[in-house]
Amino acid sequence: MNPLDSKSLGPGLYIVATPIGNLGDLSPRAAAILSHADIIAVEDSRVTAGLLRHIGVKRPMLPYHDHNAEGMRPGLIARMATQAVALVSDAGTPLISDPGYKLVRDARAAGHAVVTIPGPCAAVAALTLAGLPTDRFLFVGFLPSKAKARADAVAQVAGIRATLVLYESARRTAACLCALAEGLGDREAAVTREITKTFEEAVTGTLSTLAARYADAPPRGEVVIVVAPPGEAPAASAEDGDAALAEALTRLPAARAAGEVAKRLGLDRKTLYARALAMKG
Ligand code: SAM
């Protein structure tokens, strides 16, 4: 069924992405689903009422947010047997640093249809602005706000060979950039801000220069930080190979020592084997 052509929707759960600033980003399909849903589960009814006003409709809303989700979920799941239930968040894609995954899980377990209406997402929009590699990225969401927990969380992702995407509040941006510089090294990064709004910008630089820039003047509005992957590890030298071989030869015969070191340091096995024989001789 094409929901744009229909006045009524089949029962089930409809996950509807909404704009992250520019209301023009609401897709026609999203508008059609919101117009015809029997009920819309919302984070904040004032925010969603503004969006509905923009498309000229009124629909019943029920609150569904971090503080009431457990209590609200069974009722919403029961409704999906006969009603079209739409889920929206205040901005962007529901479930992305927003409530919803348990609703999807339980809706499917109850045998209801689950349909997604994709659209704006600040994380993906930030990646398109940052000018950093996009072939592999890790969405980190919000780091913890306490310094020790934040440093631990940064240490957990330090070795990951992917661009990192983080949500952060404007006032914690400088502290977050400092923690990233300390835990990851001074990588290239971008602070993207107010995406799709009047003052949209992407400021690029190393983590430490960005931290210094925002230390006394926090960015205004909403922020996504994007951090480049770690640089390639420097190639192991012949001296590194000799040192590793000398150690391996205390445990292993020459051929196995050469094989182990070749694998670990990415050096040529035949050259290492010849070297190991020379060292033994
Ligand atoms: N579900 C949303 C999405 O799809 O992007 C994210 C919700 S999360 C609670 C809110 C965070 O998203 C903000 O703190 C900010 O980091 C980021 N964000 C949302 N809108 C933004 C915008 N227009 N510009 C930059 N960041 C934004």
Side-chain angles (χ1 to χ4, degrees):
M1 174 184 57
N2 179 353
L4 289 172
D5 300 336
S6 171
K7 287 265 178 290
S8 69
L9 293 173
L13 174 61
Y14 295 79
I15 311 296
V16 184
T18 60
I20 55 172
N22 189 325
L23 293 181
D25 291 337
L26 186 76
S27 73
R29 184 169 172 239
I33 299 280
L34 293 179
S35 304
H36 299 309
D38 294 301
I39 190 99
I40 307 177
V42 303
E43 271 191 283
D44 182 335
S45 57
R46 290 161 304 182
V47 174
T48 304
L51 184 66
L52 295 181
R53 249 193 322 277
H54 171 71
I55 54 173
V57 302
K58 279 194 173 164
R59 301 308 300 148
M61 293 183 261
L62 277 178
Y64 187 77
H65 46 67
D66 283 338
H67 306 294
N68 73 355
E70 296 301 315
M72 294 299 287
R73 203 175 309 120
L76 286 170
I77 298 289
R79 279 173 182 269
M80 290 170 204
T82 55
Q83 295 188 340
V85 177
L87 173 72
V88 298
S89 53
D90 284 351
T93 301
L95 284 79
I96 307 301
S97 282
D98 271 331
Y101 89 88
K102 291 180 181 170
L103 198 62
V104 171
R105 179 194 65 191
D106 292 2
R108 183 164 294 114
H112 302 316
V114 179
V115 179
T116 190
I117 295 84
C121 175
V124 174
L127 273 170
T128 67
L129 286 175
L132 293 170
T134 50
D135 52 334
R136 284 188 94 204
F137 61 86
L138 177 73
F139 176 60
V140 181
F142 289 94
L143 288 176
S145 54
K146 298 224 166 77
K148 167 78 171 72
R150 184 167 52 204
D152 290 347
V154 172
Q156 277 176 10
V157 297
I160 293 176
R161 307 199 76 75
T163 292
L164 305 176
V165 184
L166 302 101
Y167 286 167
E168 190 49 281
S169 72
R171 71 190 165 81
R172 278 203 284 264
T173 298
C176 179
L177 290 164
C178 280
L180 290 167
E182 263 176 37
L184 304 178
D186 205 10
R187 299 188 196 170
E188 290 298 316
V191 175
T192 63
R193 180 176 84 82
E194 294 290 89
I195 301 170
T196 76
K197 304 184 200 175
T198 310
F199 297 106
E200 172 178 299
E201 68 174 2
V203 180
T204 58
T206 63
L207 285 166
S208 65
T209 56
L210 291 169
R213 174 187 173 128
Y214 293 115
D216 298 323
R220 283 168 191 247
E222 298 196 276
V223 167
V224 181
I225 299 172
V226 186
V227 186
E232 292 299 317
S237 64
E239 289 73 32
D240 295 332
D242 276 0
L245 258 187
E247 185 282 321
L249 283 170
T250 63
R251 300 179 279 111
L252 300 169
R256 284 184 56 201
E260 181 190 279
V261 173
K263 201 167 169 193
R264 180 149 52 89
L265 298 186
L267 294 172
D268 180 61
R269 193 184 58 79
K270 275 191 184 156
T271 311
L272 285 168
Y273 180 57
R275 195 73 195 119
L277 292 181
M279 284 165 90
K280 282 185 88 153

